[in-house]
Amino acid sequence: MESQGAKRGAGELKDGVTGGPSKRSRPAPSLPTEASLYAGPFPFYRRPSELGCFSLDAERRYHGDSRALRYFAPPPAHGSAPDFDLREGYPERYRPRNEEIREGLDHLLRWLLEHRGQLEGGPGWLAGAVVTWRGHLTKLLTTPYELREGWQLAASRLQGTLYLSEVETPAARAQRLTRPPLLRELMYMGYKFEQYMCADTPGGSPDPSGEVNTNVAFCSVFRSRLGTHPLLFSGEVDCIDPKAPSTQPPACYVELKTSKEMHSPGQWKSFYRHKLLKWWAQSFLPGVPRVVAGFRDPEGSVRSFRTFPTMEMFELIRSDREGWNPSVCMNFCAAFLSFAQSTVTQDDPRLVHLFSWEPGGPVTVSVHHGAPYAFLPTWYVEAVTQNFPSPPKTSCPED
Ligand code: A3P
Ligand code: MG
């Protein structure tokens, strides 16, 4: 392994790319993350459009359809106050996904293989694009404001396309393996809220008696562009609102969230500074227009709702000098993509540039070959290089 990582001071870089090479000591490339460096005007962001979708079932098997999509079914607005016990069913009716299984981009790659012949924009468009998960982009957007959790993103180029796939940091792994029981239950509660708020059919009623199985997911695949960077990314969508004014995705999608009930202006301020930033970044990227939040009491029951329109979230923090700014988030993400595009120049699916970031420092890069960092699966690389024959048959006999 050859390491290029080195710390640099903020402001040394322009456009996220290091200056000209010097024969004696070529500086290791790095990208600063201080918010003040990215406070320019909001960059171009193409209105996201949905290219397609796929579903993962209770056994985490892929299906190239929308079978896992659920329908927004909130209690009547003028009925009595909600009383959703989010701890009900825990732990006996909880089937959490096996987090030891590293899926990388595999499900998205399978979708891409099945659709690359029909992509709008043609194969040339994909050759210039960045392919990744929405969640990875969310982490990039929030980086200039993140004080606690670092990240690592592995990058490989194949037939021009730049693929980005997150690597679990040692700290994140250690935290996951020692996750306290209370945190595990809190995770369950977020999914349980979805069960109370969603039905399996349009106009149907939620059924909170079933199990909460986090293997199940409905994922939408989006196309957008940030600055000069065409994007193809996928993200899990909580539900579709059959009563939404627009039936066109993503305008009809709803993101569900839970949070603690707040009782003081100080608590709201902290919520707007930290949690709302993450909610905004997650929903803004795919163009999901609203987040419906359930606020839980100390016993874990949702007692009230509030809808946050994604495009109005910034208004809640705009006047706070210690708040966040969407322009900073998007400008930093664009700078990172430029940095990655100019760093990963070789087209080689086994070559990995690992971008690493810890709060307080710049993004650094190290170079690796093959295992354990290479993440583009052989079945994908072979199919793409052999001119896109059909994807492999996997353990999913019924589709
Ligand atoms: P809430 O965040 O609503 O409480 P999402 O909102 O992204 O659809 O995720 C659904 C639920 O998954 C979350 O509910 C939370 O319970 C759990 N979850 C998602 N990301 C998590 C993370 N990084 N750490 C812990 N739990 C997470
Ligand atoms: Mg959600």
Side-chain angles (χ1 to χ4, degrees), residues 41-62:
F42 196 86
F44 174 83
Y45 189 63
R46 179 192 192 268
R47 183 191 294 269
S49 52
E50 187 181 67
L51 296 175
C53 65
F54 57 90
S55 294
L56 303 173
D57 68 17
E59 273 75 45
R60 202 69 179 171
R61 290 175 305 201
Y62 175 101

Side-chain angles (χ1 to χ4, degrees), residues 116 119 121-131 157-163 224-232 337-338 341 347:
R116 58 185 296 148
L119 278 187
W125 178 82
L126 187 61
V130 172
V131 171
R157 194 181 289 285
L158 176 64
Q159 293 191 346
T161 309
L162 187 68
Y163 297 85
S224 183
R225 176 160 60 87
L226 173 55
T228 57
H229 303 290
L231 301 173
L232 188 151
L337 295 176
S338 298
Q341 287 285 15
D347 211 289

